[in-house]
């Protein structure tokens, strides 16, 4: 049995996340964002981040709003129907303070997969004939001076196996410095079990140099090994395990709690104003010591209202509307 | 007696009618999902709904507000990930069976969509969420249906950014770009349903609702729209409206 990787969020971020890093954030829009880890990154003043992810929402929006993201490779930024475009993401791009390069969700999944497989690129037919191919967000100078950026956004080439003039799109591998994942279950040796949709978390974790996992439930390695076929990421790939119940709040965690609609709607309103966003950031993140104190601020009544029904895996709407 | 209904209800029902029992329906959230859920509860009980996040054929007791909502996971036949979902659409056997339901902020006469940015995309006046999986779906699946608010500023001659491919420049340009299949078959709007000419691939008005004349619809379109083939879309039946209002969206989360 390997030694314990269990540590506090503050220690995990201190050891494995540095300013200037290329970061990949797990989850998908309003589900399983690794919020406790993101709050800790914000508190520790980590900055100048290069974020690569597919469909971002609350975790991404806070990092951008706090001015910690310099480069972004992304497919989508929205909180589902609770913000049809992430507010601080939208403002930063409109104001020209954030450099962004647009891909599609499949292309980013393939970029992580290529990184995980150790191959330089993977092919797809997606985006032929579109501006995803034509318009690039980063200059050649930026590309040549940053080893984490691919030399080209993507390449269109002829299928070498076809006798027809058939084109394919090649998307470059990405190997982030750190992936941040929030899971339902993990063991102290690093074994991870995701329940429900895995999104692209497994590809993101396998592509990255370091992986920090926060989890709702800490279970024994022996327990997870009883059904090893249901485990999502093997322990050898994980650097740090953080036990943090409600670690994805205000986004959802299937079988544990729903997204906090009231909180996200309040955030949407506040984030639209620069000063009110700063106040939100101070009140809910920067002036707080740890995630458990944040949860006290949210309050037990609110947290109880989003608790998942054991039968459904989410909170029934008619019981909390 | 005349039945009262809203344009959104008409859109959901017009979509529902165009879904077949053997379709595998790729859904985003919002109106397209209402259309698919209505079809499933009326004439197409065997159609399978799936999401780019990897959820296939979920129970959908409540309306999901995002494709990553836990409501798409419960009771599903399979909860996988993005890699599974997009490979399923690109695959030569399963891809052609998929009907993709999409929407955008701008559309052109060939059904190409913009969901990335309004204005110059390097410093846009309005930044939109981006492709997400929309470009992948529009590129890969057998056929797509698009949902649009029918306004002149949205039906444009030139897109500010071409996020998701429709018929590209029309004619055979889609195949010439090496896109392996697919293309939009219908655009369901707040005023009617557009289809695409078999050879030019230009959009024309196929059916209109009873809320506006075809001339007015043409005036609300930012490019020349052929309305000569338009028929009237039949009004929602009491059954369709009842299913939509009481079973699909009883809390009015999308319809209101």
């Amino acid at each position: 049995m390997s030694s314990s990787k269990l540590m506090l969020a503050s220690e995990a971020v201190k050891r494995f996340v540095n300013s200037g890093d290329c970061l990949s954030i797990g989850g998908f829009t309003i589900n399983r964002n690794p919020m406790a880890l993101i709050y800790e990154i914000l508190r520790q003043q980590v900055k100048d981040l290069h974020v690569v992810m597919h469909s971002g929402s609350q975790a991404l929006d806070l990092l951008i709003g706090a001015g910690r993201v310099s480069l972004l490779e992304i497919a989508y930024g929205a909180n589902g129907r609770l913000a049809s475009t992430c507010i601080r993401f939208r403002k930063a791009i409109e104001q020209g303070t954030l450099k962004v390069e647009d891909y599609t969700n499949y292309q980013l999944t393939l970029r992580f997969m290529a990184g995980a497989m150790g191959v330089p690129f993977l092919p797809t037919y997606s985006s032929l004939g579109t501006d995803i191919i034509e318009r690039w967000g980063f200059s050649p100078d930026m590309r040549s001076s940053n080893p984490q950026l691919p030399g080209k956004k993507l390449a269109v080439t002829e299928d070498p196996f076809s006798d027809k003039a058939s084109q394919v799109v090649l998307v470059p591998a990405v190997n982030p410095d750190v992936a941040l994942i929030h899971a339902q279950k993990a063991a102290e040796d690093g074994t991870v079990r995701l329940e429900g949709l895995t999104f692209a978390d497994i590809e993101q974790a396998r592509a990255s140099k370091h992986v920090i996992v926060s989890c709702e439930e800490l279970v024994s390695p022996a327990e997870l090994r009883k059904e090893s076929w249901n485990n999502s990421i093997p322990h050898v790939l994980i650097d740090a395990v953080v036990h943090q119940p409600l670690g994805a709040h205000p986004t959802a965690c299937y079988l544990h709690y729903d997204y906090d609609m009231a909180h996200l709607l309040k955030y949407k309103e506040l984030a639209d104003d620069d000063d009110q966003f700063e106040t939100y950031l101070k009140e809910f993140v920067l002036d707080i010591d740890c995630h458990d104190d944040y949860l006290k601020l949210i309050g037990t009544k609110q947290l109880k209202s989003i608790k998942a029904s054991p039968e459904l895996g989410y909170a029934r709407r008619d019981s909390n509307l | 007696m005349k039945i009262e209904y809203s344009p959104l209800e008409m859109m959901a029902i017009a979509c529902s009618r165009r879904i077949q029992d053997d379709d595998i329906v790729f859904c985003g959230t919002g109106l397209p999902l209402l259309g698919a859920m209505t079809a499933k509860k009326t004439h197409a009980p065997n159609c399978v709904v799936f999401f780019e996040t990897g959820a296939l054929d979920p129970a959908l007791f409540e309306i999901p507000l995002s494709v990553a909502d836990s409501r798409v996971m419960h009771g599903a036949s399979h909860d996988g990930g993005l890699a599974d979902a997009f490979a399923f659409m690109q695959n030569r056997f399963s891809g052609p069976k998929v009907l993709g339901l999409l929407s955008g902020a701008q559309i052109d006469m060939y059904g190409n969509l913009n969901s990335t940015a309004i204005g110059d995309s390097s410093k846009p006046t309005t930044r939109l969420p981006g492709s997400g999986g929309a470009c992948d779906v529009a590129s890969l699946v057998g056929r797509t249906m698009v949902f649009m608010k029918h306004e002149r500023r949205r039906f444009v001659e030139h897109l500010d950014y071409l996020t998701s491919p429709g018929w590209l420049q029309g004619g055979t340009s889609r195949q010439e770009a090496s896109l392996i299949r697919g293309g939009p078959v219908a655009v369901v709007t707040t005023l009617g349903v557009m289809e695409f000419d078999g050879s030019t691939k230009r959009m024309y008005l196929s059916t209109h609702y009873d809320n506006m004349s075809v001339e007015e619809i043409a005036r609300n379109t930012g490019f020349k729209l052929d309305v000569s083939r338009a028929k009237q879309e039949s009004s929602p039946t009491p059954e369709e409206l009842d299913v939509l209002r009481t079973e699909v969206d009883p809390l009015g989360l999308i319809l209101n």
Side-chain angles (χ1 to χ4, degrees), chain B residues 86-106:
Chain B
F86 290 114
F88 184 81
M89 297 187 233
Q90 192 165 239
N91 182 290
R92 68 175 62 204
F93 306 113
S94 49
K97 297 178 193 165
V98 177
L99 165 66
L101 305 184
L102 298 170
S103 54
Q106 285 180 331

Side-chain angles (χ1 to χ4, degrees), chain A residues 12 23 65 135 169 179 224 231 236 271 273-274 281:
Chain A
L23 201 68
R135 305 217 199 162
V169 182
L224 289 183
N231 295 335
V236 292
D273 178 272
D274 292 353
L281 196 62

Side-chain angles (χ1 to χ4, degrees), chain B residues 107-186:
Chain B
I107 188 166
D108 69 14
M109 67 188 81
Y110 298 114
N112 303 302
L113 295 170
N114 174 13
S115 57
T116 302
I118 303 295
D120 172 4
S121 65
S122 61
K123 204 183 175 207
T125 49
T126 304
R127 171 68 201 202
L128 302 165
S131 160
C135 170
D136 304 309
V137 175
S139 299
L140 303 174
V141 306
R143 67 192 216 278
T144 55
M145 197 166 5
V146 181
F147 286 75
M148 294 292 302
K149 213 171 184 178
H150 206 131
E151 295 171 356
R152 226 182 140 74
R153 65 188 182 110
R154 294 175 183 274
F155 281 68
V156 296
E157 198 81 47
H158 297 288
L159 300 177
D160 292 338
Y161 188 104
L162 199 171
T163 312
S164 303
W167 296 108
L168 294 178
Q169 292 81 41
T172 54
S173 58
R174 188 177 164 100
Q175 291 119 282
E176 284 157 19
S178 293
L179 287 165
I180 44 177
R181 63 177 81 88
V185 293

Side-chain angles (χ1 to χ4, degrees), chain A residues 31 102 104-105 126 131 259, chain B residues 52 68-69 71 127 136 162:
Chain A
N31 219 307
D102 285 286
T104 71
N105 273 343
S126 178
D131 282 334
Y259 42 85
Chain B
E52 66 183 278
D69 195 315
R71 285 160 186 78
R127 171 68 201 202
D136 304 309
L162 199 171

